[in-house]
Amino acid sequence: METKEIVVGTDGSGWSTAAVRWAAREAHHRGAPLRIVLAYEWHWQSARYGGADELRERADLQAEQTINGAVTEAQSVAPDIALIPDTSYGEAAPALLTAAKNASLVVLGNRGRGGFGSLMV
């Protein structure tokens, strides 16, 4: 029987980093793979006036750095688990629900970046 994966959401905040570390330890304990989910959007009001390509590139780079940081955190506490980085464009809730369909556990931090911090991401 295949062990169902554990899904953890990340946004790069301290709370999500704690969730990633906890989920990695739990994945190790259960012998389960860990899917790290990051969903993001880049289409801001200012993109309508030019610079959309630059904004998209910047958002893509930030997302890549954030998911890589989460992978590094997971590996630091459970280096032997199978990791599945899962970055997608869109809203976080639908991405997490899709990823969670076949998961045994979904882990989230206490709070995200908050209103202003999320604007920066």
Side-chain angles (χ1 to χ4, degrees):
M1 184 172 123
E2 183 179 329
T3 304
K4 289 187 172 186
E5 65 189 22
I6 293 174
V7 171
V8 62
T10 190
D11 64 3
S13 67
W15 293 109
S16 73
T17 299
V20 166
R21 294 172 66 85
W22 188 92
R25 285 190 289 271
E26 187 65 18
H28 172 75
H29 175 72
R30 294 181 184 205
L34 179 63
R35 179 177 299 274
I36 303 173
V37 177
L38 170 68
Y40 68 103
E41 294 182 294
W42 68 272
H43 191 75
W44 302 298
Q45 183 72 19
S46 60
R48 295 181 182 175
Y49 303 107
D53 290 340
E54 182 182 340
L55 288 174
R56 176 67 189 251
E57 289 173 11
R58 196 174 286 173
D60 290 347
L61 178 61
Q62 180 67 42
E64 182 180 346
Q65 291 171 343
T66 300
I67 199 80
N68 288 343
V71 166
T72 299
E73 287 294 331
Q75 289 172 329
S76 74
V77 296
D80 59 336
I81 63 171
L83 291 169
I84 307 158
D86 185 350
T87 304
S88 63
Y89 173 75
E91 295 181 23
L96 286 165
L97 288 171
T98 297
K101 283 184 180 176
N102 295 313
S104 62
L105 179 67
V106 177
V107 181
L108 301 172
N110 184 28
R111 299 176 60 114
R113 291 182 172 277
F116 182 73
S118 294
L119 291 175
M120 302 304 288
V121 176

